Amino acid sequence: QQQVKQSPQSLIVQKGGISIINCAYENTAFDYFPWYQQFPGKGPALLIAIRPDVSEKKEGRFTISFNKSAKQFSLHIMDSQPGDSATYFCAAEGDSNYQLIWGAGTKLIIKP
Amino acid sequence: KAGVTQTPRYLIKTRGQQVTLSCSPISGHRSVSWYQQTPGQGLQFLFEYFSETQRNKGNFPGRFSGRQFSNSRSEMNVSTLELGDSALYLCASRQQTGSETQYFGPGTRLLVL
């Protein structure tokens, strides 16, 4: 029940296209859902985060869509750029556990 | 503000040795969490410290331990190193414990030979 399932494992998108990464969770006590971006040799960096009281959050080219009833959330990267090529992780936290439960990661490659 | 810093950045040890990794959180942050990242297991939570107290611990053997000092700096120790301990060890800090943004350091790359 503590798992966060992330798909796809890898993704290739043309420059200017839309990149979509999906995550699903089971624990309804989770109340915080961040997305992190990680470049090789660096630690993860927060990209955008959402709480269950909203269904969508947008920051620049990045949008989180949240479906509470389906227990799913997704990251959309609009107008994808080569500089967006990185590994993306979804995560979830809550249930008084105070630890991030991570998805397995998606390696995104944006082709110029 | 300076970000989360971790030292050393790279470390090579042999099986059976022990290692201590250090993490300095962002100024004003009282919570420090440690994660292990490997290609096979992904990111796994080790433990979190808040105000010098361990708040939560992941499913790691007792060889993995940590502590936090009064200035919020944290150390983690791994004793009797095994080959499988080779990983990137990440430290993250946040102002409070709970569902808040965690800010990550660059990690310490540990190689056990």
Side-chain angles (χ1 to χ4, degrees), chain A residues 32 36 43-47 100, chain B residues 2-6 23-26 29 31-33 35 90-95 100-106:
Chain A
Y32 176 67
Y36 281 85
L46 180 73
L47 202 56
L100 278 171
Chain B
V4 177
T5 58
Q6 293 186 244
C23 172
S24 292
I26 293 172
H29 286 191
S31 164
V32 172
S33 296
Y35 294 86
L90 293 159
C91 164
S93 77
R94 53 186 168 184
Q95 288 185 324
E100 271 196 23
T101 298
Q102 294 189 33
Y103 297 90
F104 283 80

Side-chain angles (χ1 to χ4, degrees), chain B residues 55-76:
Chain B
R55 295 299 297 266
N56 198 4
K57 191 178 191 312
N59 291 329
F60 279 82
R63 300 185 296 106
F64 292 81
S65 63
R67 59 178 176 168
Q68 187 180 33
F69 303 96
S70 58
N71 62 358
S72 293
R73 191 177 69 85
S74 177
E75 289 181 348
M76 69 163 279

Side-chain angles (χ1 to χ4, degrees), chain B:
Chain B
K1 274 185 182 178
V4 177
T5 58
Q6 293 186 244
T7 56
R9 292 292 313 279
Y10 305 93
L11 208 48
I12 300 175
K13 292 285 187 178
T14 56
R15 278 183 301 173
Q17 286 187 310
Q18 75 165 22
V19 67
T20 298
L21 312 181
S22 180
C23 172
S24 292
I26 293 172
S27 177
H29 286 191
R30 295 166 62 193
S31 164
V32 172
S33 296
W34 289 89
Y35 294 86
Q36 182 195 64
Q37 186 175 25
T38 60
Q41 298 296 318
L43 280 147
Q44 292 186 290
F45 172 76
L46 280 156
F47 28 66
E48 180 188 23
Y49 286 87
F50 181 76
S51 294
E52 301 179 68
T53 302
Q54 187 180 88
R55 295 299 297 266
N56 198 4
K57 191 178 191 312
N59 291 329
F60 279 82
R63 300 185 296 106
F64 292 81
S65 63
R67 59 178 176 168
Q68 187 180 33
F69 303 96
S70 58
N71 62 358
S72 293
R73 191 177 69 85
S74 177
E75 289 181 348
M76 69 163 279
N77 183 275
V78 188
S79 62
T80 319
L81 283 165
E82 300 178 359
L83 295 179
D85 297 333
S86 295
L88 180 67
Y89 290 90
L90 293 159
C91 164
S93 77
R94 53 186 168 184
Q95 288 185 324
Q96 304 287 338
T97 189
S99 301
E100 271 196 23
T101 298
Q102 294 189 33
Y103 297 90
F104 283 80
T108 294
R109 174 76 64 186
L110 172 65
L111 177 62
V112 181
L113 301 176

